[in-house]
Amino acid sequence: MSSEGQWREDVVAMIPALRAFAWSLCHNGSDADDLVQDTLIKAWTNRDKFELGTNLRAWLFTILRNTYYTQAIRRRREVRDESGEYAANVRTPPTQDWSVAMHALQTALNQLPDEHREALILVGAAGLSYEEAAEICGCALGTIKSRVNRARARLLKIMDAEDAADVMAIEPAEAGRV
């Protein structure tokens, strides 16, 4: 008989001992059978790593124990929800409105003159001071303030909004008109 055939027979002979050890860990016959099956699959997959002449029983029991603890750690992070009650209460707010509003804002920004859009993005989006924006654009402080003010006013007009808070609260139907 080949060494692989002998190894297989030795592993099969260990199944009752593996099952008993698995049951002592799981306290459930079905879970113990699953654990033994997982152990046997891992042992078979890694049989080339087993060194002949070493303790097969200890090797198999180590695989079983490590598999059990790995599954226990994984189960700790899971939520038992056989009835689906927990899953029914988990909700994520829709993101479509935000996406539509952002698209409408981008469309409106693209309608602004380049120097107004640049000033508004530097001050409004990038959070730079008027002085920093003026330095970047190579113009006077008053010019940047004027550009930002005009850009804001024009943006509100394009988006048919009364103030900045209305821009991101735009309804999906209104966004289509922009």
Side-chain angles (χ1 to χ4, degrees):
M1 184 177 291
S2 70
S3 62
E4 188 169 302
Q6 183 61 47
W7 184 86
R8 187 178 317 132
E9 283 184 23
D10 292 344
V11 169
V12 169
M14 290 288 190
I15 291 176
L18 289 170
R19 190 164 190 290
F21 183 50
W23 198 92
S24 73
L25 294 172
C26 300
H27 304 290
N28 178 309
S30 178
D31 290 344
D33 288 340
D34 290 345
L35 183 57
V36 170
Q37 182 178 1
D38 289 345
T39 300
L40 293 173
I41 291 170
K42 288 180 181 181
W44 180 258
T45 303
N46 295 297
R47 65 188 178 276
D48 58 321
K49 295 179 183 171
F50 176 72
E51 296 178 23
L52 289 175
T54 60
N55 189 341
L56 179 62
R57 180 183 177 108
W59 188 69
L60 291 171
F61 274 60
T62 301
I63 292 172
L64 188 139
R65 182 181 54 92
N66 289 346
T67 301
Y68 171 76
Y69 285 120
T70 299
Q71 289 174 354
I73 289 169
R74 192 174 298 134
R75 271 192 305 268
R76 224 180 297 151
R77 287 184 251 134
E78 294 175 353
V79 176
R80 293 189 72 80
D81 189 30
E82 289 84 12
S83 66
E85 186 177 319
Y86 179 78
N89 291 322
V90 176
R91 290 187 173 81
T92 302
T95 58
Q96 303 92 314
D97 294 344
W98 177 255
S99 177
V100 168
M102 287 302 295
H103 180 70
L105 179 60
Q106 182 64 46
T107 301
L109 278 170
N110 289 336
Q111 293 178 29
L112 296 176
D114 291 342
E115 63 274 357
H116 290 178
R117 181 175 50 252
E118 179 183 46
L120 185 62
I121 289 173
L122 288 173
V123 173
L128 299 176
S129 68
Y130 285 113
E131 291 81 9
E132 292 168 323
E135 187 178 327
I136 291 170
C137 293
C139 62
L141 177 63
T143 303
I144 280 294
K145 288 181 179 182
S146 174
R147 287 178 182 173
V148 169
N149 185 42
R150 288 181 183 166
R152 285 180 179 152
R154 178 80 179 125
L155 194 61
L156 290 173
K157 184 176 179 184
I158 292 170
M159 297 190 75
D160 195 26
E162 292 183 30
D163 62 30
D166 294 340
V167 171
M168 294 315 287
I170 193 167
E171 293 297 321
E174 294 175 23
R177 292 185 308 186
V178 175

